Each structure stands twice: as structure tokens, then as C-alpha cells.
Amino acid sequence: AIVYGSGGQRRLRHRCEVDITLYRKFWGMGIGTALLDELLAAAGYAGYEQAELTVVSGNAPAIALYRKLGFETVGTIPRAMKYSDGSYADFLLMVKPLAE
């Protein structure tokens, strides 16, 4: 799990990116929720106003988790990932306001 700033420019400093990764055997145990809750709290404490992430469009469990925690889909990055068999997957860009 990680949270990091979206850029050093003054105009971007209010944004951060969050990322969590769990082995499949740990899915559904509440670990992802706990990790993301802690990341979002730390991001807010650090002064970030908006959290952003990308997720593979076919990853329904992750998308459900992010939506449960208040993230909204704001766009799609087509063909963002290329698999070893030559096929592609899109990324969804999701955003959550941390401060109003």
C-alpha cells in the first residue's frame, strides 16, 4: 500500500495517488478496506484534498471496494495494460475528494 503526491508543482500538490495490492488469497477478508482506510486518513492528514487511482476495468472486486469507500469513475485509459498474450486491458481513473 502506498500514497504519493501527484506532482511537485504548486497547482498539483492538493492531489495524491493511492495504490494497494493484495494476493488473491487475502481478498474478501477486509484487509483491502483497512489498508485503503488508513491510506486515505494519512493522505488527509498530510493535507491532500483529492485521492486518485487507476484500476483494471475488469477487476470488479477492486472497483466495488473503491466505490464503497467513495471513489467515482471519471474516465478510462484505453489499452493501458498489455498482457503477454498481446491482449490489452483498459484502466479506469477513479477519484475521491478528501476535503471540500
Side-chain angles (χ1 to χ4, degrees), residues 6 15-18 50-57 63 66-67 70-78 80 90-96:
S6 294
R15 299 169 47 213
C16 69
E17 296 183 41
V18 296
Q50 178 171 295
E52 303 171 5
L53 58 83
T54 56
V55 59
V56 175
S57 62
I63 295 166
Y66 301 142
R67 286 189 177 141
F71 282 85
E72 295 184 15
T73 302
V74 296
T76 303
I77 303 170
D90 297 345
F91 277 173
L92 300 181
L93 175 60
M94 301 185 80
V95 175
K96 175 186 171 67

Side-chain angles (χ1 to χ4, degrees), residues 3 8 10 15 19 21-22 25 28 37 43-44 51 55 63 65 67 69 71-72 81-82 87 89 98:
V3 60
R10 180 182 48 82
R15 299 169 47 213
D19 188 15
T21 304
L22 288 176
K25 68 181 179 179
D37 276 340
V55 59
I63 295 166
L65 168 63
R67 286 189 177 141
L69 294 177
F71 282 85
E72 295 184 15
M81 185 171 7
K82 185 174 183 179
S87 65
L98 299 176

Side-chain angles (χ1 to χ4, degrees), residues 30-44:
I31 297 169
T33 300
L35 283 171
L36 200 50
D37 276 340
E38 289 297 319
L39 282 182
L40 294 172

